[in-house]
């Protein structure tokens, strides 16, 4: 059994009357595994708790993973709350569609919420195939609008879920991954077919109330075909992911997503490891009259991400990371600088500076006075201006 | 006449002295076996002030002639527990390595110069855990000889074939009595002496020698890493299935 308890403090550097000047929270994580003697059955528990001192929305205990697993040499059957990692991208993966993101812990991080599912995976010599049935669609919550963790303008409120859909309609996933040797290189391919709830969430206009805009979350069904490839070439890894979705909702157009990435690993003359990363993301909808990328809460419509990770190669695994997301159509951008290390072997710490620039930097929000629906571009255009530092301290048992 | 005598003497010495190729064959014969090994390792990270951090790992290896597979899983400390490194060493192409990061539940491939980076903050690189066979290096045929503390050594200089290597050359010290590597001097890409590894506590198992402890000292930073083999089990009956990529996520 492993556990950790940490505390995080986020301080706003940008004065905004609508946003609390700071947020402080306590986070706990517990992981336990039990395997029988024959090692063909195991129980896996991964629990996550958050307690914010002000924001009651940011108080929860989640069983992100709580699953029973039967395994043979060639196959694995899992049932319960499951987390999967199908994508190859580091910043955003269009094919990583099994799990919803945890928007309460840190909306810009990649924390996942477990999917209640039954999964069968069969291993082959050079790959695997898998069938997953997700029984219940995961509902996501957002921080309170005045929280520094709320990434939209505080004048934008989310209402109740707009859905006539039954949350327990199953979503089916079929995946096949294989590695194909070609000369000295090997190509990793992943094919996924999905039918059921789309991983993308939409928002529709819920009307204006005084000075606030109401947005109503929207779920929809789709059938989606996804593909990913990764090719290592000496110190490079070239990656691509793509998705084509056929929407069953008249308000949502059929759409496509494309991600291209290049990763280059090298070292400084002083021995630190460097990983350069570049990702390009494109979202295209078939019918321009239907919900836009912004309304489908897509951070990436035509955006470029550049990042670098420097591993200091010390005993504390210290790492410095910098990344910037640039909106190729609007003027919005997101910049993040972070550092992770340890004070002693059982105590780690993290520092982060986050700087979000909306489409119109002269306003605290990019939203026009008219309506959210009138916006074009990506979700990045809808964010409010944000400038903060976050300090975290975690004790590992 | 003097020249002819000198030439004959040199030829005679050449016929009787060992070449690097012969030495490498003897070394590989003495330490390689068609065998699978399961061992627990303790890794001590020692900074320049002498402060020590401890990590424990489980190591599984499978040797098949010129090819081998290795799986390392971290057992402690808590924040890196479950991290796994899988290495395939091929006879006819570059090594392949995958790192499983449990916090992200992701398998990350390590490529090119990534392999010359530090392994989990230690003084070892991913490359050091890769293949050490004769096809990875180009050897200087002429061996040097030296006696240190009464022990006689052959000194062989070898150059990595890979342009992504962190090293420009290595000098290995092989004791003449048992043909075992006792020390390796690593030189960085600027040909400065970077690290020295010393091998201790060899044990003979089924006709093959296994090292019990390696101490790696970084001469430029003053830091050191010791790896100790605990409770090694030879002929562990491991198969290719134990090194399939599936084991990373299990």
């Amino acid at each position: 059994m492993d556990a950790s308890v940490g505390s995080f403090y986020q301080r706003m550097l940008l004065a905004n009357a609508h946003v609390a000047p700071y947020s402080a929270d306590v986070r706990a994580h517990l992981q336990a595994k039990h395997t029988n003697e024959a090692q063909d059955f195991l129980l896996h528990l991964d629990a996550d708790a958050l307690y914010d001192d002000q924001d009651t929305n940011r108080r929860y205990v989640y069983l992100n993973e709580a699953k029973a697993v039967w395994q043979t040499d060639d196959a694995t059957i899992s049932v319960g709350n499951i987390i999967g990692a199908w994508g190859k991208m580091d910043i955003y993966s269009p094919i990583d569609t099994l799990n919803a993101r945890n928007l309460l812990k840190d909306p810009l991080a990649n924390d996942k919420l477990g999917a209640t599912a039954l999964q069968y995976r069969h291993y082959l010599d050079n790959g695997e195939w898998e069938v997953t049935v997700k029984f219940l669609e995961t509902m996501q919550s957002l921080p309170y609008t005045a929280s520094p963790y709320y990434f939209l303008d505080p004048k934008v409120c989310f209402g109740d879920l707009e859905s006539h859909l039954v949350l327990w309609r199953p979503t089916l996933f079929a995946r096949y991954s294989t590695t194909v040797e070609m000369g000295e290189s090997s190509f990793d391919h992943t094919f996924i077919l999905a039918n059921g709830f789309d991983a993308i969430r939409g928002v529709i206009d819920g009307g204006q109330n005084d000075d606030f805009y109401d947005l109503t979350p929207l779920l929809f069904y789709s059938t989606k075909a996804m593909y990913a490839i990764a090719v290592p070439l000496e110190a490079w890894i070239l990656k691509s992911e793509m998705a084509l979705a056929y929407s069953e909702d008249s308000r949502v157009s059929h759409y496509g997503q494309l991600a291209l990435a290049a990763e280059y690993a090298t070292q400084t003359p002083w021995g630190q490891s460097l990983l350069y990363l570049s990702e390009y993301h494109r979202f295209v909808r078939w019918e321009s009259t239907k919900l836009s990328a912004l309304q489908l809460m897509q951070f990436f419509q035509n955006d470029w991400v550049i990042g670098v990770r420097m591993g200091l190669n010390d005993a504390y695994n210290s790492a410095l990371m910098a990344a910037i997301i640039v909106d190729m159509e609007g003027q919005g951008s997101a910049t993040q600088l972070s550092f992770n290390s340890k004070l002693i072997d059982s105590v780690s710490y993290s520092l982060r500076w986050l700087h979000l620039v909306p489409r119109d930097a002269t306003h605290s929000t990019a939203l026009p006075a008219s309506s959210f629906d009138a916006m074009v571009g990506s979700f990045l255009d809808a964010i409010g201006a944000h400038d903060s530092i976050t300090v975290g301290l975690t004790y590992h048992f | 006449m003097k020249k002819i005598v000198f030439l004959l003497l040199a030829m005679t010495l050449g016929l009787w002295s060992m070449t690097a190729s012969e030495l490498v064959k003897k070394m590989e014969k003495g330490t390689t076996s068609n065998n699978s090994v399961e061992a627990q390792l303790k890794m001590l990270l020692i900074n320049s002030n002498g402060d020590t951090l401890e990590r424990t790992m489980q190591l599984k290896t499978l040797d098949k002639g010129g090819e081998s597979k290795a799986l390392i899983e971290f057992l402690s400390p808590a924040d890196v527990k479950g991290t796994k490194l899988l290495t395939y060493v091929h006879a006819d192409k570059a090594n392949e390595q995958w790192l499983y990061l449990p916090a992200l539940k992701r398998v990350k491939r390590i490529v090119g110069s990534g392999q010359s980076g530090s392994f989990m903050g230690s003084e070892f690189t991913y490359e050091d855990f890769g293949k050490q066979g004769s096809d990875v290096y180009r050897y200087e045929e002429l061996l040097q000889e030296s006696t240190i503390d009464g022990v006689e050594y052959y000194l062989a200089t070898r150059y990595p074939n890979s342009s992504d290597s962190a090293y420009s050359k290595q000098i290995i010290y092989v004791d003449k009595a048992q043909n075992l590597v006792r020390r390796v001097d690593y030189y960085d890409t600027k040909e400065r002496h970077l690290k020295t590894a010393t091998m201790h506590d060899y044990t003979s198992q089924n006709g093959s020698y296994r090292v019990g402890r390696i101490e790696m000292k970084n001469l430029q930073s003053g830091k050191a890493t010791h790896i100790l083999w605990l409770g090694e089990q030879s002929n562990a009956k491991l198969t290719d299935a134990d090194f399939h990529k599936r084991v990373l996520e299990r």
Side-chain angles (χ1 to χ4, degrees):
Chain A
M1 190 169 77
D2 302 296
S4 65
V5 175
S7 182
F8 287 73
Y9 176 82
Q10 186 177 38
R11 180 84 200 177
M12 296 296 287
L13 302 176
L14 191 70
N16 186 329
H18 301 285
V19 179
Y22 76 92
S23 166
D25 63 57
V26 176
R27 301 172 189 190
H29 182 82
L30 175 77
Q31 188 178 61
K33 261 186 189 178
H34 172 74
T35 309
N36 69 346
E37 206 168 305
Q39 299 209 321
D40 56 3
F41 175 74
L42 72 92
L43 293 170
H44 184 122
L45 177 72
D46 203 333
D48 211 14
L50 176 72
Y51 184 89
D52 189 291
D53 74 326
Q54 300 172 78
D55 183 355
T56 54
N57 289 2
R58 298 185 73 240
R59 293 175 187 174
Y60 65 74
V61 177
Y62 288 154
L63 290 178
N64 277 338
E65 280 198 293
K67 62 182 181 182
V69 181
W70 291 266
Q71 53 190 31
T72 65
D73 282 349
D74 296 329
T76 298
I77 299 173
S78 307
V79 64
N81 274 6
I82 294 168
I83 288 180
W86 297 335
K88 311 280 185 195
M89 298 289 163
D90 286 278
I91 305 297
Y92 170 67
S93 166
I95 75 162
D96 228 352
T97 49
L98 175 63
N99 302 101
R101 287 172 56 201
N102 181 352
L103 300 174
L104 287 174
K105 200 169 184 182
D106 190 338
L108 291 174
N110 220 355
D111 291 304
K112 293 175 178 174
L113 297 169
T116 307
L118 172 67
Q119 186 174 70
Y120 176 80
R121 183 181 293 175
H122 192 91
Y123 298 103
L124 308 166
D125 283 345
N126 58 353
E128 62 196 39
W129 63 264
E130 179 183 279
V131 175
T132 305
V133 184
K134 187 176 175 183
F135 296 115
L136 182 67
E137 191 52 26
T138 316
M139 291 309 302
Q140 292 168 289
S141 303
L142 285 170
Y144 180 53
T145 54
S147 166
Y149 282 99
Y150 186 75
F151 48 85
L152 286 177
D153 186 82
K155 290 180 181 176
V156 178
C157 301
F158 279 80
D160 295 330
L161 177 72
E162 161 64 31
S163 177
H164 58 281
L165 307 178
V166 181
L167 291 179
W168 39 269
R169 167 181 157 164
T171 301
L172 304 174
F173 300 92
R175 178 174 71 91
Y176 172 64
S177 296
T178 187
T179 300
V180 179
E181 307 285 339
M182 290 187 73
E184 288 211 353
S185 287
S186 54
F187 292 63
D188 294 332
H189 301 274
T190 299
F191 303 86
I192 302 173
L193 274 175
N195 176 265
F197 282 100
D198 198 289
I200 287 178
R201 298 285 184 273
V203 286
I204 51 178
D205 192 357
Q208 188 170 344
N209 178 14
D210 296 329
D211 207 17
F212 290 85
Y213 303 97
D214 284 328
L215 292 179
T216 303
L218 171 75
L219 293 175
F220 62 96
Y221 295 142
S222 73
T223 298
K224 196 182 262 191
M226 293 163 270
Y227 170 69
I229 183 172
V231 185
L233 289 172
E234 296 184 347
W236 291 85
I237 297 183
L238 306 178
K239 299 181 278 192
S240 179
E241 290 184 13
M242 51 199 80
L244 281 174
Y246 181 88
S247 167
E248 293 181 25
D249 192 306
S250 59
R251 292 166 292 186
V252 181
S253 167
H254 312 315
Y255 67 86
Q257 289 171 288
L258 172 69
L260 302 168
E263 200 178 293
Y264 178 72
T266 186
Q267 277 197 301
T268 69
W270 306 276
Q272 291 84 16
S273 59
L274 282 172
L275 186 74
Y276 294 102
L277 175 77
S278 178
E279 284 186 16
Y280 172 74
H281 293 274
R282 186 86 169 119
F283 177 93
V284 181
R285 56 182 166 158
W286 265 228
E287 294 159 280
S288 58
T289 54
K290 295 186 175 178
L291 294 182
S292 66
L294 187 151
Q295 291 163 315
L296 292 171
M297 298 176 73
Q298 289 300 290
F299 270 100
F300 302 107
Q301 184 202 27
N302 181 8
D303 298 72
W304 194 24
V305 185
I306 307 167
V308 62
R309 180 187 186 280
M310 178 191 280
L312 301 190
N313 288 340
D314 59 359
Y316 287 151
N317 295 328
S318 307
L320 181 69
M321 282 165 280
I324 182 166
I325 303 170
V326 180
D327 185 350
M328 304 295 281
E329 293 179 10
Q331 281 98 45
S333 70
T335 307
Q336 181 170 297
L337 196 62
S338 63
F339 181 74
N340 300 290
S341 186
K342 287 182 176 180
L343 293 175
I344 56 174
D345 213 17
S346 56
V347 179
S348 61
Y349 68 91
S350 64
L351 305 168
R352 182 182 78 167
W353 173 61
L354 179 64
H355 184 68
L356 306 179
V357 179
R359 172 182 283 255
D360 185 346
T362 59
H363 296 284
S364 64
T365 171
L367 289 169
S370 54
S371 168
F372 194 82
D373 292 347
M375 290 292 294
V376 292
S378 71
F379 205 56
L380 197 60
D381 292 327
I383 59 173
H386 180 106
D387 203 11
S388 71
I389 53 167
T390 306
V391 181
L393 200 63
T394 303
Y395 183 83
H396 304 271
F397 295 93
Chain B
M1 186 65 187
K2 250 183 177 178
K3 279 184 180 176
I4 292 172
V5 170
F6 186 77
L7 189 61
L8 283 171
L9 186 65
M11 286 172 70
T12 308
L13 283 174
L15 283 172
W16 284 96
S17 64
M18 190 181 281
T19 65
S21 309
E22 291 165 343
L23 180 66
V24 169
K25 279 181 190 164
K26 284 194 171 188
M27 281 160 41
E28 291 185 345
K29 192 179 175 186
T31 55
T32 307
S33 63
N34 294 324
N35 199 354
S36 59
V37 173
E38 196 166 355
Q40 286 225 348
L41 307 181
K42 184 191 284 185
M43 190 160 84
L44 302 174
L45 308 175
I46 304 162
N47 71 12
S48 53
N49 297 324
D51 302 327
T52 302
L53 296 173
E54 185 179 311
R55 274 108 183 81
T56 53
M57 300 173 281
Q58 186 177 50
L59 170 71
K60 293 178 181 176
T61 61
L62 177 67
D63 292 332
K64 278 188 167 181
E67 306 223 329
S68 67
K69 295 176 178 178
L71 177 68
I72 297 173
E73 179 178 359
F74 274 79
L75 306 177
S76 73
D79 62 323
V80 295
K81 185 178 177 181
T83 301
K84 297 177 189 175
L85 176 71
L86 178 64
T87 305
Y88 288 179
V89 176
H90 300 288
D92 54 351
K93 62 176 186 177
N95 297 351
E96 294 179 284
Q97 286 186 314
W98 298 267
L99 185 69
Y100 175 68
L101 302 163
L104 302 175
K105 301 198 183 299
R106 271 192 67 186
V107 175
K108 194 149 178 68
R109 195 159 180 157
I110 299 170
V111 293
S113 56
Q115 296 192 23
S116 62
S118 162
F119 175 69
M120 303 301 285
S122 74
E123 297 312 309
F124 289 85
T125 65
Y126 291 97
E127 179 184 357
D128 297 332
F129 288 96
K131 191 178 185 182
Q132 301 295 313
S134 53
D135 49 344
V136 178
Y137 300 101
R138 178 174 53 81
Y139 282 82
E140 276 184 9
E141 274 302 301
L142 191 61
L143 295 175
Q144 307 293 318
E145 295 181 29
S146 178
T147 302
I148 302 171
D149 296 333
V151 181
E152 291 183 291
Y153 296 95
Y154 289 116
L155 273 61
T157 304
R158 63 188 188 184
Y159 303 90
N161 288 332
S162 169
S163 58
D164 292 321
S165 173
Y167 313 118
S168 57
K169 69 173 180 182
Q170 298 171 13
I171 299 175
I172 60 171
Y173 293 65
V174 183
D175 75 49
K176 287 186 174 180
Q178 294 176 293
N179 293 317
L180 294 175
V181 178
R182 299 287 183 179
R183 173 176 159 179
V184 181
D185 291 341
Y186 297 86
Y187 289 79
D188 65 18
T189 51
K190 292 181 179 170
E191 304 208 347
R192 295 172 305 189
H193 191 176
L194 174 65
K195 303 186 294 190
T196 288
T198 52
M199 290 73 178
H200 309 267
D201 304 338
Y202 275 105
T203 54
S204 175
Q205 295 177 20
N206 305 317
S208 175
Y209 280 97
R210 316 291 306 185
V211 70
R213 179 164 51 99
I214 299 178
E215 296 181 1
M216 182 75 88
K217 173 82 176 174
N218 189 317
L219 303 175
Q220 295 178 10
S221 68
K223 293 192 281 188
T225 299
H226 298 180
I227 292 184
L228 291 79
W229 271 250
L230 310 171
E232 181 172 295
Q233 183 192 350
S234 294
N235 291 319
K237 294 182 181 171
L238 301 173
T239 65
D240 283 324
D242 295 296
F243 299 88
H244 191 282
K245 279 185 273 181
R246 77 187 73 161
V247 300
L248 290 169
E249 294 180 74
R250 283 189 164 183

